């Protein structure tokens, strides 16, 4: 198969997996876990010297393309495997491309570290390792970018749009939803930012996402 995505669903690999599934492009999924040493083998390190998932391998007529960094993988897929005609999640013009780029970079720089902290200290870590002070500080800091997202969604709604970057769901929504989702266990934040909460629910109710989630459960 031309496209291979390495990395389990319950990781940053969800970003390219969800993008590929939305685009309807055939791909092989190699569910490499991030624990247990699979990302430290010589073979894996040859694909990604950082030893992280996800990795995307695209066997193209002109040669093999390897992409790591989850947001780069998602944006690459949309750009090179999307139709770009305004009917799928790929950017259809430079303005939509700019939206996808800026929201993807925004998610990793403004949101990711604190959202991950919320996920870990509310759910991921064993209870004895959870730190209420770290959690409270992360939730407090997240109020700044989540306000930006909330206001953006309000402005979009006023124009009759339910998604971030276009009249339809696009890769920009995938990139931000995958990260903002980590803050969902914070009831306070979700209550404070109801548009973010509702938009996250809408994104995660997409058949492509649910299909991947179901496949991961099996
Ligand atoms: N900035 C990277 C981070 C990748 C990353 O840290 N992936 C985690 C799983 S979500 C991983 O592979 N951890 C294993 C390790 O670091 O050993 C990206 O977005 O792709």
């Amino acid at each position: 198969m031309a496209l291979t995505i390495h990395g389990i669903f319950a990781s940053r690999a969800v970003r390219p997996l969800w993008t590929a599934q939305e685009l309807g492009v055939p791909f092989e999924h190699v569910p490499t876990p991030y624990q247990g040493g699979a990302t430290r083998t010589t073979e894996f390190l040859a694909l990604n010297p950082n030893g992280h998932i996800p990795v995307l391998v695209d066997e193209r007529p002109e040669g093999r393309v390897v992409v790591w960094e989850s947001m780069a993988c998602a944006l690459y897929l949309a750009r090179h495997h999307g139709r770009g005609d305004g009917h799928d999640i790929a950017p259809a013009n430079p303005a939509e491309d700019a939206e996808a780029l800026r929201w993807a970079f925004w998610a990793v720089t403004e949101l990711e570290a604190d959202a991950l902290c919320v996920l870990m200290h509310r759910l991921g870590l064993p209870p004895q390792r959870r730190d209420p002070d770290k959690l409270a500080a992360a939730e407090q800091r997240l109020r700044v970018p989540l306000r930006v997202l909330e206001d953006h969604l309000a402005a979009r709604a006023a124009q009759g749009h339910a998604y971030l970057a276009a009249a339809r769901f696009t890769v920009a929504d995938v990139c931000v939803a995958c990260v903002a989702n980590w803050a969902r266990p914070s009831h306070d934040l979700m209550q404070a930012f109801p548009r973010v909460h509702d938009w996250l629910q809408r994104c995660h109710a997409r058949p492509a996402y649910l299909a991947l989630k179901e496949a991961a459960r099996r």
Side-chain angles (χ1 to χ4, degrees):
M1 200 172 288
L3 265 183
T4 306
I5 300 173
H6 298 258
I8 54 170
F9 172 76
S11 76
R12 290 174 176 88
V14 69
R15 301 166 190 180
L17 287 170
W18 189 357
T19 304
Q21 190 80 13
E22 290 279 356
L23 290 169
V25 291
F27 64 94
E28 184 188 352
H29 181 203
V30 180
T32 309
Y34 54 81
Q35 285 171 325
T39 55
R40 293 294 183 279
T41 63
T42 311
E43 236 178 12
F44 190 87
L45 290 170
L47 286 177
N48 183 356
N50 298 290
H52 297 325
I53 52 169
V55 179
L56 173 75
V57 181
D58 187 5
E59 302 289 354
R60 303 182 66 86
E62 68 272 23
R64 165 185 273 212
V65 176
V66 177
V67 192
W68 36 260
E69 279 301 320
S70 54
M71 292 301 182
C73 295
L75 294 169
Y76 171 90
L77 279 171
R79 197 173 275 186
H80 297 287
H81 290 271
R83 294 197 307 270
D85 58 1
H87 293 287
D88 67 9
I89 70 162
N93 52 51
E96 288 187 12
D97 197 33
E99 288 289 309
L101 289 168
R102 77 168 180 175
W103 282 113
F105 278 78
W106 177 84
V108 288
T109 54
E110 304 287 332
L111 217 54
E112 188 169 89
D114 287 324
L116 184 56
C117 186
V118 170
L119 180 71
M120 296 313 286
H121 291 275
R122 279 201 178 270
L123 284 182
L125 290 169
Q128 67 278 12
R129 289 186 52 208
R130 294 180 196 168
D131 182 332
D133 294 337
K134 273 189 187 162
L135 175 61
E139 289 185 347
Q140 189 55 36
R141 283 191 300 268
L142 277 170
R143 286 176 179 271
V144 176
L146 289 180
R147 168 54 53 202
V148 171
L149 187 54
E150 182 80 5
D151 289 350
H152 181 74
L153 287 165
R156 300 288 300 154
Q159 295 164 347
H161 299 314
Y163 294 110
L164 287 188
R168 64 192 192 289
F169 179 87
T170 67
V171 68
D173 296 284
V174 172
C175 292
V176 179
C178 287
V179 180
N181 195 39
W182 290 347
R184 259 213 283 189
S186 169
H187 182 67
D188 285 356
L189 287 178
M190 291 301 106
Q191 216 171 26
F193 302 103
R195 287 181 190 277
V196 172
H197 173 262
D198 293 352
W199 164 80
L200 277 171
Q201 302 265 63
R202 267 198 308 283
C203 292
H204 288 90
R206 303 231 357 133
Y209 181 84
L210 294 176
L212 288 167
K213 192 174 168 185
E214 180 54 31
R217 211 180 272 136
R218 274 187 246 120

